[in-house]
Amino acid sequence: MAGGVLSFPLTSFHDDGSLAPDGFRAHVAARIATAPGAVFPACGTGEFFSLDEDEYRTVVTIAVEEAAGRVPVVAGVGYGWAQAARFARIAEDAGADALLVLPHYLVAAPQDGLVAQLEQLAARTRLPLIAYQRGQVAFTASSLRRIAAIPGVIGLKDGHSDLDRLQRLTLAAPEGFLFFNGASTAEIQARAYATVGVPAYSSAVHAFAPEVANAFFAALRDADDKTVERLLRDFYVPLVELRDRVPGYAVSLVKAAARLRGQPVGPVRAPLTDPSAADLAELTTLLATGLDLVGAAL
């Protein structure tokens, strides 16, 4: 999975909010065609929290069919362990390769509870688990050792961007345990994460501009600092500044950008909202700039 960016496809909806399977199939097929390291359907960018179980089954099944064994398919699961296990069984039946365990719902929990959440889920699925620490989920080095010892738990995605804590976690982990940079707009911090031993990262930009995402990945891999810094300065940093204006823009801006590229992803579902006209105009200009930087067209 470190051989390319980790792609988090968007879940397609019709204008009335209903699931659009054909739109999702076209979208995920286009992502897979650009050779990501793995595809992660029905995760945060894919609005997992808004899907019912039948919709989830459809989304994961389509992703598996389109991947056709070319790249790993890692499906999102979440809520408490009992509900997460229901989604895990669906993902197993659909043919997913692994599961990303999204942060549990609402409540803060002690370390023993965070470990027990993964123990309970691991006991109920045959699929490998990748824990996702973000929001109210943050593992200590001691807890990391405990979850790494759970059969089936193979890795950790980090969304806190606390590099001191993350370095402690990587040093505490056994050999072969996987780590992923899951920061919002992970490219911003990709170089910093790599210095603590975490080169693999997720890319929301891959959902709407794989040309930019792959060019950045190649420049980072090749230590082409000039290209990395040009893309950060002229595209990624302005994108983050726009994203941070409104809660939920981390998903709805990505969907809006995909629509600008002709991707049939539709609107976001409430409680998210689509970007304002002014923000959409700014996004259009920024997207054109990013594509121009890598020799692509809107």
Side-chain angles (χ1 to χ4, degrees):
M1 287 194 282
V5 298
L6 305 180
S7 182
F8 285 69
L10 301 154
T11 299
S12 299
F13 300 119
H14 295 295
D15 288 342
D16 65 0
S18 61
L19 186 69
D22 291 344
F24 178 71
R25 185 178 294 278
H27 173 68
V28 75
R31 302 314 95 193
I32 291 169
T34 63
V39 62
F40 288 68
C43 293
T45 306
E47 297 179 78
F48 166 79
F49 54 86
S50 75
L51 300 176
D52 67 26
E53 292 179 14
D54 288 338
E55 292 170 332
Y56 177 86
R57 179 179 291 104
T58 298
V59 165
V60 177
T61 298
I62 288 172
V64 170
E65 289 173 351
E66 292 302 320
R70 291 174 290 170
V71 296
V73 175
V74 184
V77 297
Y79 308 114
W81 61 259
Q83 187 64 24
R86 291 174 64 92
F87 283 103
R89 285 192 291 273
I90 294 169
E92 279 188 33
D93 292 343
D97 297 296
L99 302 172
L100 178 65
V101 185
L102 303 171
H104 64 268
Y105 173 68
L106 190 60
V107 296
Q111 293 293 307
D112 284 349
L114 299 180
V115 174
Q117 164 89 336
L118 290 169
E119 288 174 335
Q120 293 288 346
L121 181 55
R124 289 165 172 81
T125 181
R126 297 187 301 272
L127 293 180
L129 304 180
I130 299 169
Y132 188 6
Q133 64 169 18
R134 191 186 188 98
Q136 69 269 35
V137 176
F139 293 100
T140 64
S142 176
S143 294
L144 189 283
R145 295 186 189 96
R146 293 171 64 190
I147 68 169
I150 299 171
V153 176
I154 64 170
L156 177 75
K157 181 183 179 187
D158 174 71
H160 285 294
S161 303
D162 181 340
L163 296 183
D164 179 278
R165 175 190 288 266
L166 185 59
Q167 182 71 91
R168 295 170 190 267
L169 297 181
T170 61
L171 294 173
E175 184 177 356
F177 194 77
L178 305 176
F179 285 91
F180 305 98
N181 168 3
S184 296
T185 315
E187 287 90 344
I188 291 285
Q189 300 186 63
R191 288 191 294 188
Y193 268 81
T195 65
V196 296
V198 184
Y201 63 88
S202 58
S203 176
V205 170
H206 192 268
F208 64 87
E211 305 97 325
V212 176
N214 287 339
F216 183 91
F217 180 88
L220 190 67
R221 178 197 60 206
D222 298 339
D224 181 357
D225 289 338
K226 183 177 180 180
T227 298
V228 167
E229 289 166 9
R230 183 171 66 249
L231 287 169
L232 289 174
R233 181 180 57 250
D234 296 339
F235 175 73
Y236 283 101
V237 169
L239 180 66
V240 168
E241 291 173 348
L242 180 57
R243 180 203 71 199
D244 289 347
R245 288 180 189 170
V246 177
Y249 265 17
V251 176
S252 56
L253 269 184
V254 173
K255 254 196 168 172
R259 292 194 300 272
L260 290 172
R261 301 295 309 282
Q263 287 290 309
V265 296
V268 292
R269 273 183 175 172
L272 300 179
T273 59
D274 288 315
S276 68
D279 289 344
L280 184 59
E282 188 171 337
L283 176 64
T284 303
T285 300
L286 179 58
L287 177 55
T289 297
L291 292 169
D292 184 64
L293 287 170
V294 298
L298 184 61

